[in-house]
PDB file of all heavy atoms in Angstrom:
ATOM      1  N   SER O  72      46.238-166.695   5.377  1.00 49.00           N
ATOM      2  CA  SER O  72      46.953-165.875   4.403  1.00 49.00           C
ATOM      3  C   SER O  72      46.499-166.060   2.973  1.00 49.00           C
ATOM      4  O   SER O  72      47.011-165.451   2.075  1.00 49.00           O
ATOM      5  CB  SER O  72      48.467-166.192   4.491  1.00 49.00           C
ATOM      6  OG  SER O  72      48.688-167.587   4.236  1.00 49.00           O
ATOM      7  N   THR O  73      45.519-166.924   2.727  1.00 49.00           N
ATOM      8  CA  THR O  73      45.099-167.155   1.370  1.00 49.00           C
ATOM      9  C   THR O  73      43.573-167.077   1.235  1.00 49.00           C
ATOM     10  O   THR O  73      42.842-167.215   2.166  1.00 49.00           O
ATOM     11  CB  THR O  73      45.522-168.542   0.825  1.00 49.00           C
ATOM     12  OG1 THR O  73      44.936-169.523   1.676  1.00 49.00           O
ATOM     13  CG2 THR O  73      47.034-168.638   0.818  1.00 49.00           C
ATOM     14  N   LEU O  74      43.140-166.766   0.016  1.00 54.00           N
ATOM     15  CA  LEU O  74      41.712-166.699  -0.285  1.00 54.00           C
ATOM     16  C   LEU O  74      41.563-167.347  -1.636  1.00 54.00           C
ATOM     17  O   LEU O  74      42.326-167.069  -2.593  1.00 54.00           O
ATOM     18  CB  LEU O  74      41.232-165.206  -0.350  1.00 54.00           C
ATOM     19  CG  LEU O  74      39.888-164.960  -0.920  1.00 54.00           C
ATOM     20  CD1 LEU O  74      38.801-165.474   0.037  1.00 54.00           C
ATOM     21  CD2 LEU O  74      39.713-163.485  -1.212  1.00 54.00           C
ATOM     22  N   SER O  75      40.547-168.128  -1.760  1.00 53.00           N
ATOM     23  CA  SER O  75      40.289-168.752  -3.090  1.00 53.00           C
ATOM     24  C   SER O  75      38.858-168.330  -3.459  1.00 53.00           C
ATOM     25  O   SER O  75      37.947-168.318  -2.627  1.00 53.00           O
ATOM     26  CB  SER O  75      40.419-170.247  -3.057  1.00 53.00           C
ATOM     27  OG  SER O  75      39.494-170.801  -2.153  1.00 53.00           O
ATOM     28  N   HIS O  76      38.703-168.034  -4.725  1.00 57.00           N
ATOM     29  CA  HIS O  76      37.361-167.633  -5.249  1.00 57.00           C
ATOM     30  C   HIS O  76      36.801-168.790  -6.036  1.00 57.00           C
ATOM     31  O   HIS O  76      37.518-169.512  -6.736  1.00 57.00           O
ATOM     32  CB  HIS O  76      37.451-166.387  -6.136  1.00 57.00           C
ATOM     33  CG  HIS O  76      37.836-165.151  -5.393  1.00 57.00           C
ATOM     34  ND1 HIS O  76      37.082-164.606  -4.404  1.00 57.00           N
ATOM     35  CD2 HIS O  76      38.934-164.380  -5.528  1.00 57.00           C
ATOM     36  CE1 HIS O  76      37.667-163.516  -3.937  1.00 57.00           C
ATOM     37  NE2 HIS O  76      38.787-163.366  -4.580  1.00 57.00           N
ATOM     38  N   ASP O  77      35.507-169.004  -5.927  1.00 58.00           N
ATOM     39  CA  ASP O  77      34.823-170.026  -6.729  1.00 58.00           C
ATOM     40  C   ASP O  77      34.821-169.588  -8.185  1.00 58.00           C
ATOM     41  O   ASP O  77      34.260-168.545  -8.533  1.00 58.00           O
ATOM     42  CB  ASP O  77      33.399-170.228  -6.162  1.00 58.00           C
ATOM     43  CG  ASP O  77      32.674-171.346  -6.867  1.00 58.00           C
ATOM     44  OD1 ASP O  77      33.164-171.903  -7.855  1.00 58.00           O
ATOM     45  OD2 ASP O  77      31.579-171.670  -6.377  1.00 58.00           O
ATOM     46  N   LYS O  78      35.388-170.362  -9.016  1.00 61.00           N
ATOM     47  CA  LYS O  78      35.467-170.042 -10.445  1.00 61.00           C
ATOM     48  C   LYS O  78      34.106-170.043 -11.120  1.00 61.00           C
ATOM     49  O   LYS O  78      33.946-169.543 -12.222  1.00 61.00           O
ATOM     50  CB  LYS O  78      36.432-171.003 -11.158  1.00 61.00           C
ATOM     51  CG  LYS O  78      37.824-170.984 -10.564  1.00 61.00           C
ATOM     52  CD  LYS O  78      38.515-169.662 -10.770  1.00 61.00           C
ATOM     53  CE  LYS O  78      39.946-169.710 -10.249  1.00 61.00           C
ATOM     54  NZ  LYS O  78      40.485-168.490  -9.886  1.00 61.00           N
ATOM     55  N   ASN O  79      33.099-170.657 -10.485  1.00 71.00           N
ATOM     56  CA  ASN O  79      31.773-170.729 -11.103  1.00 71.00           C
ATOM     57  C   ASN O  79      30.934-169.533 -10.808  1.00 71.00           C
ATOM     58  O   ASN O  79      29.823-169.363 -11.330  1.00 71.00           O
ATOM     59  CB  ASN O  79      31.029-171.987 -10.593  1.00 71.00           C
ATOM     60  CG  ASN O  79      31.722-173.259 -11.046  1.00 71.00           C
ATOM     61  OD1 ASN O  79      32.276-173.335 -12.152  1.00 71.00           O
ATOM     62  ND2 ASN O  79      31.758-174.258 -10.184  1.00 71.00           N
ATOM     63  N   THR O  80      31.410-168.639  -9.966  1.00 79.00           N
ATOM     64  CA  THR O  80      30.631-167.441  -9.635  1.00 79.00           C
ATOM     65  C   THR O  80      30.788-166.442 -10.771  1.00 79.00           C
ATOM     66  O   THR O  80      31.886-166.020 -11.106  1.00 79.00           O
ATOM     67  CB  THR O  80      31.150-166.802  -8.300  1.00 79.00           C
ATOM     68  OG1 THR O  80      31.056-167.800  -7.294  1.00 79.00           O
ATOM     69  CG2 THR O  80      30.338-165.597  -7.906  1.00 79.00           C
ATOM     70  N   PRO O  81      29.649-166.058 -11.380  1.00 85.00           N
ATOM     71  CA  PRO O  81      29.734-165.189 -12.549  1.00 85.00           C
ATOM     72  C   PRO O  81      30.068-163.678 -12.240  1.00 85.00           C
ATOM     73  O   PRO O  81      30.618-163.005 -13.056  1.00 85.00           O
ATOM     74  CB  PRO O  81      28.382-165.274 -13.187  1.00 85.00           C
ATOM     75  CG  PRO O  81      27.445-165.666 -12.090  1.00 85.00           C
ATOM     76  CD  PRO O  81      28.297-166.462 -11.107  1.00 85.00           C
ATOM     77  N   PHE O  82      29.709-163.214 -11.043  1.00 88.00           N
ATOM     78  CA  PHE O  82      29.872-161.832 -10.698  1.00 88.00           C
ATOM     79  C   PHE O  82      30.414-161.654  -9.279  1.00 88.00           C
ATOM     80  O   PHE O  82      30.150-162.511  -8.426  1.00 88.00           O
ATOM     81  CB  PHE O  82      28.523-161.067 -10.792  1.00 88.00           C
ATOM     82  CG  PHE O  82      27.911-161.197 -12.116  1.00 88.00           C
ATOM     83  CD1 PHE O  82      26.769-162.003 -12.301  1.00 88.00           C
ATOM     84  CD2 PHE O  82      28.335-160.464 -13.211  1.00 88.00           C
ATOM     85  CE1 PHE O  82      26.152-162.139 -13.489  1.00 88.00           C
ATOM     86  CE2 PHE O  82      27.712-160.604 -14.475  1.00 88.00           C
ATOM     87  CZ  PHE O  82      26.636-161.395 -14.600  1.00 88.00           C
ATOM     88  N   TYR O  83      31.164-160.596  -9.122  1.00 89.00           N
ATOM     89  CA  TYR O  83      31.699-160.241  -7.793  1.00 89.00           C
ATOM     90  C   TYR O  83      31.364-158.830  -7.504  1.00 89.00           C
ATOM     91  O   TYR O  83      31.522-157.946  -8.344  1.00 89.00           O
ATOM     92  CB  TYR O  83      33.242-160.422  -7.774  1.00 89.00           C
ATOM     93  CG  TYR O  83      33.622-161.856  -7.840  1.00 89.00           C
ATOM     94  CD1 TYR O  83      33.988-162.453  -9.071  1.00 89.00           C
ATOM     95  CD2 TYR O  83      33.658-162.700  -6.705  1.00 89.00           C
ATOM     96  CE1 TYR O  83      34.353-163.816  -9.169  1.00 89.00           C
ATOM     97  CE2 TYR O  83      33.997-164.005  -6.785  1.00 89.00           C
ATOM     98  CZ  TYR O  83      34.353-164.567  -7.986  1.00 89.00           C
ATOM     99  OH  TYR O  83      34.684-165.874  -8.086  1.00 89.00           O
ATOM    100  N   LEU O  84      30.935-158.568  -6.269  1.00 89.00           N
ATOM    101  CA  LEU O  84      30.709-157.226  -5.822  1.00 89.00           C
ATOM    102  C   LEU O  84      31.889-156.897  -4.904  1.00 89.00           C
ATOM    103  O   LEU O  84      32.113-157.550  -3.878  1.00 89.00           O
ATOM    104  CB  LEU O  84      29.411-157.138  -5.035  1.00 89.00           C
ATOM    105  CG  LEU O  84      28.949-155.730  -4.646  1.00 89.00           C
ATOM    106  CD1 LEU O  84      28.707-154.870  -5.849  1.00 89.00           C
ATOM    107  CD2 LEU O  84      27.652-155.828  -3.821  1.00 89.00           C
ATOM    108  N   VAL O  85      32.672-155.923  -5.307  1.00 92.00           N
ATOM    109  CA  VAL O  85      33.849-155.500  -4.547  1.00 92.00           C
ATOM    110  C   VAL O  85      33.450-154.300  -3.679  1.00 92.00           C
ATOM    111  O   VAL O  85      32.905-153.328  -4.187  1.00 92.00           O
ATOM    112  CB  VAL O  85      35.010-155.120  -5.487  1.00 92.00           C
ATOM    113  CG1 VAL O  85      36.202-154.581  -4.690  1.00 92.00           C
ATOM    114  CG2 VAL O  85      35.437-156.316  -6.318  1.00 92.00           C
ATOM    115  N   ILE O  86      33.715-154.413  -2.412  1.00 90.00           N
ATOM    116  CA  ILE O  86      33.450-153.329  -1.414  1.00 90.00           C
ATOM    117  C   ILE O  86      34.811-152.980  -0.835  1.00 90.00           C
ATOM    118  O   ILE O  86      35.367-153.754  -0.067  1.00 90.00           O
ATOM    119  CB  ILE O  86      32.454-153.762  -0.357  1.00 90.00           C
ATOM    120  CG1 ILE O  86      31.110-154.187  -1.025  1.00 90.00           C
ATOM    121  CG2 ILE O  86      32.216-152.626   0.626  1.00 90.00           C
ATOM    122  CD1 ILE O  86      30.971-155.639  -1.174  1.00 90.00           C
ATOM    123  N   PHE O  87      35.349-151.846  -1.205  1.00 91.00           N
ATOM    124  CA  PHE O  87      36.681-151.430  -0.756  1.00 91.00           C
ATOM    125  C   PHE O  87      36.616-150.221   0.128  1.00 91.00           C
ATOM    126  O   PHE O  87      35.851-149.292  -0.152  1.00 91.00           O
ATOM    127  CB  PHE O  87      37.508-151.074  -2.023  1.00 91.00           C
ATOM    128  CG  PHE O  87      38.884-150.512  -1.690  1.00 91.00           C
ATOM    129  CD1 PHE O  87      39.877-151.314  -1.116  1.00 91.00           C
ATOM    130  CD2 PHE O  87      39.196-149.168  -1.928  1.00 91.00           C
ATOM    131  CE1 PHE O  87      41.123-150.789  -0.810  1.00 91.00           C
ATOM    132  CE2 PHE O  87      40.400-148.646  -1.605  1.00 91.00           C
ATOM    133  CZ  PHE O  87      41.419-149.451  -1.054  1.00 91.00           C
ATOM    134  N   SER O  88      37.342-150.247   1.209  1.00 85.00           N
ATOM    135  CA  SER O  88      37.415-149.115   2.114  1.00 85.00           C
ATOM    136  C   SER O  88      38.865-148.786   2.378  1.00 85.00           C
ATOM    137  O   SER O  88      39.644-149.676   2.809  1.00 85.00           O
ATOM    138  CB  SER O  88      36.716-149.440   3.425  1.00 85.00           C
ATOM    139  OG  SER O  88      36.834-148.353   4.327  1.00 85.00           O
ATOM    140  N   ASP O  89      39.292-147.603   2.012  1.00 82.00           N
ATOM    141  CA  ASP O  89      40.701-147.222   2.185  1.00 82.00           C
ATOM    142  C   ASP O  89      40.964-146.601   3.500  1.00 82.00           C
ATOM    143  O   ASP O  89      40.093-146.418   4.356  1.00 82.00           O
ATOM    144  CB  ASP O  89      41.163-146.351   1.031  1.00 82.00           C
ATOM    145  CG  ASP O  89      40.454-145.018   0.962  1.00 82.00           C
ATOM    146  OD1 ASP O  89      39.747-144.657   1.920  1.00 82.00           O
ATOM    147  OD2 ASP O  89      40.609-144.288  -0.013  1.00 82.00           O
TER     148      ASP O  89
END
Side-chain angles (χ1 to χ4, degrees):
S72 59
T73 59
L74 169 70
S75 62
H76 293 298
D77 185 352
K78 302 295 183 202
N79 296 322
T80 303
F82 304 105
Y83 291 95
L84 188 62
V85 176
I86 301 96
F87 175 70
S88 178
D89 63 11

